[in-house]
């Protein structure tokens, strides 16, 4: 079976000349949960934006064997559900339910199915009671879960999350971590949240200056204090909790 994600020799330079990715290779197995860690500016978000073709690739990116090219973009975007760091980038309708329905309607699903699935997705993330509310009235924790619903409604094979828990209070963090732990799809999570990585991730890739500088089992990376410190990260408070 083709890996969920295969990246070969991926580089990316922003139009202003900033070299954000340098010859990056990465392979993520189907069903795996990968944590992407690294200091601010390491290139984590830039890498994620290549997984569904938001940014054009210099190099090869394959999703379940399918190259990310303009021709495949429709299929790629159905396979890869991308949750952006800022939920306000994902929520723009006057009513939450319409935000969740937006993607599936664009895929051409019939309205009845879209309505049912959208309500189910909101129920899944615990936001049924908010379905008729304007998203901008929700708390950040609710918005993060709402953004997740807009993606989960399309039943992606690969869930990509950029800073899933950043800015949340402890309860909001716990809710997201617990919720993600219950999902069986392939997950790629860029985060500074070492507790999330410890609880959810099988492997960790550490990025710095546009490169993956370390890749290994979460236990091994999280117990390597020297490595974490060298790349602006910290160890979880209890490094042995997962085992
Ligand atoms: N839109 C942009 N235009 C120019 N440079 C950018 C843009 N977005 C990010 N960068 C630069 O690319 C590098 C990687 O950024 P990013 O992928 O956001 O890192 P991370 O998500 O790890 O914090 C940084 O040096 C950042 O300043
Ligand atoms: Mg980022």
């Amino acid at each position: 079976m083709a890996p969920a994600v295969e990246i070969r020799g991926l580089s990316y330079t922003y139009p202003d000349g900033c070299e954000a990715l340098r010859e990056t290779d990465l392979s993520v197995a189907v069903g795996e949960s990968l944590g992407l860690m690294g200091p601010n500016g390491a290139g984590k978000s830039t890498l994620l934006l290549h997984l569904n073709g938001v940014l054009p690739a210099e190099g090869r990116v394959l999703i379940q064997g399918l190259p990310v090219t303009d021709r495949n973009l429709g299929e790629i975007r159905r396979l890869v559900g991308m949750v952006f760091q800022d939920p306000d980038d994902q929520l723009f309708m006057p009513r939450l339910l319409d935000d969740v329905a937006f993607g599936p309607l664009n895929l051409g699903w019939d309205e009845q199915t879209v309505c049912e699935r959208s309500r189910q997705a909101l129920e899944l993330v615990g936001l049924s009671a908010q379905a008729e509310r304007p998203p901008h009235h929700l708390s950040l924790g609710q918005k993060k879960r709402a953004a997740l619903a807009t993606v989960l409604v399309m039943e992606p094979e690969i869930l990509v999350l950029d800073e899933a828990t950043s800015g949340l209070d402890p309860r909001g963090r716990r809710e997201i971590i617990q919720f993600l732990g219950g999902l069986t799809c392939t997950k790629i999570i860029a985060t500074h949240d070492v507790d999330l990585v410890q609880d959810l991730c099988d492997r960790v890739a550490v990025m710095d200056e546009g490169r993956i500088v370390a890749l290994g089992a979460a236990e091994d990376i999280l117990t390597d204090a020297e490595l974490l410190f060298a790349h602006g990260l910290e160890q979880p408070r209890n490094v042995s909790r997962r085992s």
Side-chain angles (χ1 to χ4, degrees):
M1 183 162 46
V5 172
E6 178 96 49
I7 296 176
R8 287 286 160 255
L10 181 64
S11 298
Y12 186 74
T13 303
Y14 281 99
D16 69 355
C18 178
E19 264 186 272
L21 291 178
R22 302 163 201 250
E23 291 287 320
T24 310
D25 297 322
L26 180 67
S27 185
V28 182
V30 171
E32 186 177 17
S33 199
L34 178 88
L36 195 57
M37 304 187 80
N40 290 329
K44 305 181 295 295
S45 297
T46 306
L47 188 148
L48 297 186
L49 291 174
H50 280 89
L51 298 180
N52 72 350
V54 174
L55 294 175
E58 279 165 50
R60 276 171 76 71
V61 182
L62 304 175
I63 303 297
Q64 297 190 351
L66 194 66
V68 179
T69 56
D70 286 346
R71 210 164 62 93
N72 296 332
L73 228 46
E75 178 67 0
I76 295 289
R77 294 202 172 150
R78 205 195 55 74
L79 292 172
V80 180
M82 179 86 64
V83 182
F84 297 108
Q85 174 169 4
D86 183 353
D88 289 334
D89 289 343
Q90 218 136 13
L91 306 168
F92 43 83
M93 301 295 266
R95 189 172 70 141
L96 178 57
L97 187 64
D98 296 321
D99 265 325
V100 182
F102 185 84
L105 283 175
N106 263 345
L107 292 179
W109 297 5
D110 75 273
E111 275 189 42
Q112 176 75 28
T113 311
V114 171
C115 189
E116 280 167 22
R117 297 272 187 93
S118 299
R119 289 196 184 274
Q120 283 167 4
L122 282 173
E123 172 144 21
L124 197 65
V125 299
L127 289 177
S128 287
Q130 322 294 331
E132 314 296 330
R133 292 183 69 195
H136 63 271
H137 287 178
L138 304 178
S139 71
L140 181 65
Q142 290 174 324
K143 281 184 185 177
K144 289 259 194 194
R145 282 186 281 133
L148 252 170
T150 68
V151 160
L152 291 175
V153 68
M154 290 180 282
E155 300 180 339
E157 302 282 328
I158 302 159
L159 185 60
V160 176
L161 299 119
D162 201 351
E163 309 284 356
T165 55
S166 65
L168 296 183
D169 61 24
R171 180 173 53 191
R173 277 184 63 225
R174 270 199 309 276
E175 284 171 354
I176 290 272
I177 292 172
Q178 202 172 24
F179 177 73
L180 293 176
L183 300 176
T184 53
C185 60
T186 306
K187 292 175 218 110
I188 301 178
I189 312 175
T191 187
H192 295 295
D193 187 334
V194 284
D195 296 323
L196 176 151
V197 171
Q198 194 174 38
D199 285 351
L200 297 183
C201 297
D202 308 307
R203 281 195 309 158
V204 174
V206 178
M207 287 191 79
D208 207 347
E209 298 185 348
R211 290 192 175 88
I212 292 177
V213 293
L215 178 66
E219 295 91 299
D220 295 339
I221 300 280
L222 292 176
T223 49
D224 191 338
E226 206 174 319
L227 171 78
L228 294 172
F229 187 71
H231 299 288
L233 302 167
E234 61 179 2
Q235 277 194 293
R237 254 165 272 139
N238 177 358
V239 288
S240 60
R241 197 175 62 206
R242 197 168 185 239
S243 51

